[in-house]
Amino acid sequence: MANHEQSFADEFNKFMREKALARGMRIHAFSLDGQDRDAGADYVLTDANRFAMVEFKYTASSLISESHKPRRLKLCQELARAPEMRRLHDLCHFIAWTQTPQLTVRLNVYRHEICTARVFGSEFRPISAADAESRVNATRFADDFLDGSEDKLLSLEEFNVYVQWVLTQTSGATRSTLELVTSDVVSGDLLLIRLNSFKDAKDWLERNWPLPPAARHSYTP
């Protein structure tokens, strides 16, 4: 079976955008490109106020591939030692995959699926098995992200703290933040925009996002 991980990520991000638009909101998915090696995630999702990051695997059997990444073992080990980072992790760092045969989408907190004996064997046993109770489908994940509950996702400030910790304390990265890329159309041509921090991303989105459809319809100057 072919690996359609990128197609899965594309369809998931489109689903999240459509769910947001239905509520008169916006969500942007920033690809981390090669930075996924240090961050442990493929995309950052944000509505310019809340932030989360998601690692994508095409099928459940692909989850075990994280065992080949020393940085992910280090992340799991450090999370076991750092209660405050575990709290932040559980609110912003997720992994998504599909369940065969129907290819239904499931998501969970990253450590609940990966920081387990199934993935890392005898080297890592703080969690002996995946936490199936915290798994959710795509609709539940979208609802949790969009409902505005502060106890479910992280603010810019807390997300910065967590990502900096992941990069510097678990991945040995030379940068303490992630570089993001988006685009604009200038004089009818495509222009890439490089954003050097999550604060830059938040500011750019707030300046350049048009009002969502629901807000446009209700707006009166």
Side-chain angles (χ1 to χ4, degrees), residues 105-120:
V105 173
R106 292 291 179 267
L107 297 100
N108 203 349
V109 173
Y110 181 91
R111 72 181 182 95
H112 288 175
E113 292 294 333
I114 303 304
C115 299
T116 64
R118 174 180 177 269
V119 174
F120 287 113

Side-chain angles (χ1 to χ4, degrees), residues 8 11 14 26 47 50 70 85 89 142 169 201 219:
F8 170 35
E11 292 303 314
K14 182 172 73 173
R26 297 285 196 212
D47 68 349
R50 288 157 291 181
M85 290 302 111
H89 171 92
Q169 301 301 311
Y219 175 71

Side-chain angles (χ1 to χ4, degrees), residues 2-4 12 15 17 21 30 40 46 48 56-57 60 69 75 77 82 115 140 164 167 169 175-176 180 204:
N3 186 340
H4 297 288
F12 178 85
F15 174 84
R17 287 193 296 270
L21 286 171
F30 289 101
T46 182
F56 289 92
K57 299 295 181 186
K69 302 174 182 178
L75 172 64
Q77 291 169 333
C115 299
R140 173 65 183 275
Q164 180 176 347
L167 296 178
Q169 301 301 311
R175 286 173 55 94
S176 60
L180 307 174
W204 190 90

Side-chain angles (χ1 to χ4, degrees), residues 1-13 42-43 55-62 96-98 100 103 105:
M1 180 173 61
N3 186 340
H4 297 288
E5 183 178 296
Q6 186 58 56
S7 295
F8 170 35
D10 291 344
E11 292 303 314
F12 178 85
N13 291 333
D42 296 308
Y43 282 85
E55 170 77 2
F56 289 92
K57 299 295 181 186
Y58 182 46
T59 63
S61 61
S62 301
W97 69 97
T98 65
T100 55
L103 298 182
V105 173

